[in-house]
Amino acid sequence: LKPESRSFICFLILALFKVQKGETEYGIGWLPLGGYVKISGMIDESMDKEQMEGPPQPWEFRSKPAWQRLIIMLGGVIVNFILGILIFAMVAWIYGDTYYKTEDVLDGIRTTELAQEIGLKDGDLVTKVGDLTLEKFSEGLIIKEVVINQAKTLEVKRDGQKMTLNLPDDLSSKLAKQSDGAKLFVPRIGTDVKSVSEGSTAEKVGLKTGDRIIALNGENTSYRSQFDPMLKDLKGKTVRMDVLRSGDTINMQVNLPAEGPVGIAWAFPKESRQKYSFMEAIPRGWNMSWGFLGDQIKAFKLMFQGKINPNDSLGSIFTIGKQFGTEWLWERFWKMTASLSLILGFLNLLPIPALDGGHVMFLLFESVTGIKPSDKVLEYATLAGFVILMALMIYVLGLDISRMF
């Protein structure tokens, strides 16, 4: 195959910069929102019909047998999948898995308003969702089980007793609407002092590692969710601080600074980390990739079944941007990159004309029946697919804009 192709980093064919290398012309487009390749002798969304008017040339796409054309059309999708698996494997090798064991989250959870609506309370510990026992503390895993696998119950440990909460039918829809931030809960962090800064207010009043601040001016502050807002209100004032140390309660008079930190580093739940060797990381990357793709396929199935409202789940580049958070973390960046590569491969494989999957659909038809669709059929199908894709892009962009208001 000798393709005379024009490769642009944009979906629309309008290059700001072009360079010819061999028989291929490369360019950077005015709207860098994706990649596009124009192959000689192929009907695609460029609607360049002039190239098809002459007799087929031996190097053109249309002159090649169906199986070779099929390999060409699957090439980009396959690379998307390989790249996603490779990145996930490298993330596992370099970073490993960092998590809290459920048993190590001693202070339970701090709930959001939505969590309280379904019956969760601060201090609860979720030990099971549906039929899945949670050995790792994971709000994300619970959301996945509720939204994707339609789990209907939570098993909760509250005040030492186990109880079961039945989840409302509309919970999966409510969770799907939220694209960023904690959706149900986070670990509840106590006011246990891990260390104090040298020369800080905390050091001057005698706070020590292992202390727990249980009250400010007689009001309970055993947890950060209580302590932080109260500390903010008392800035610049002298307060009575009650501290629990080795089973004894100590009273301190503290002159809180009007500006700046008090100088306390807080103790968090014990963190667990699972490391992978290079050879162990490869199957881990595979499992992470196909687990992610499996969830996407299930989500599409639930949309078609009406169990998930597409308006709550679809989003444009703005929704994707929110997933990166406000703090730059390389681990999160690479996980997002791997996920986007996989989802792009999956979406591009859908049997919609103008996508690779649409071309694959026609090529499979040709391979099975021996009947090659005419250029007119491909032209009209590609045009229809292009219109559908543009309409979908405008629709999801409109969803994100509406969410802003």
Side-chain angles (χ1 to χ4, degrees), residues 143 146-148 150 171-180 183 295-296 298-304 306-320 323 343 347 392 395-397 399-400 402-403:
I143 291 171
V146 173
V147 176
I148 303 299
Q150 300 288 287
L171 179 60
S172 62
S173 176
K174 288 182 177 180
L175 289 172
K177 287 181 181 179
Q178 304 182 60
S179 59
D180 61 327
K183 302 173 182 68
D295 290 342
Q296 302 308 309
K298 289 178 183 178
F300 270 87
K301 180 180 177 182
L302 292 171
M303 286 185 196
F304 284 112
K307 295 181 180 179
I308 293 181
N309 187 342
N311 291 345
D312 299 333
S313 304
L314 297 177
S316 68
I317 55 175
F318 297 108
T319 295
I320 295 172
Q323 303 300 317
I343 196 63
L347 292 174
L392 181 60
Y395 176 66
V396 296
L397 187 61
L399 287 176
D400 270 350
S402 67
R403 289 168 188 151

Side-chain angles (χ1 to χ4, degrees), residues 83-99 136 273-274 276 284-285 288-289 292 320 323-324 328-343:
L83 179 62
I85 295 169
L86 180 62
I87 292 176
F88 270 135
M90 293 302 98
V91 168
W93 181 41
I94 294 170
Y95 297 102
D97 289 335
T98 303
Y99 60 92
K136 297 179 180 179
R273 178 179 289 271
Q274 182 173 351
Y276 299 92
R284 175 59 179 163
M288 291 171 71
S289 299
F292 173 79
I320 295 172
Q323 303 300 317
F324 284 90
W328 184 269
L329 298 172
W330 278 108
E331 182 179 0
R332 180 166 56 194
F333 168 80
W334 286 116
K335 285 183 177 179
M336 283 293 300
T337 302
S339 299
L340 289 173
S341 183
L342 292 169
I343 196 63

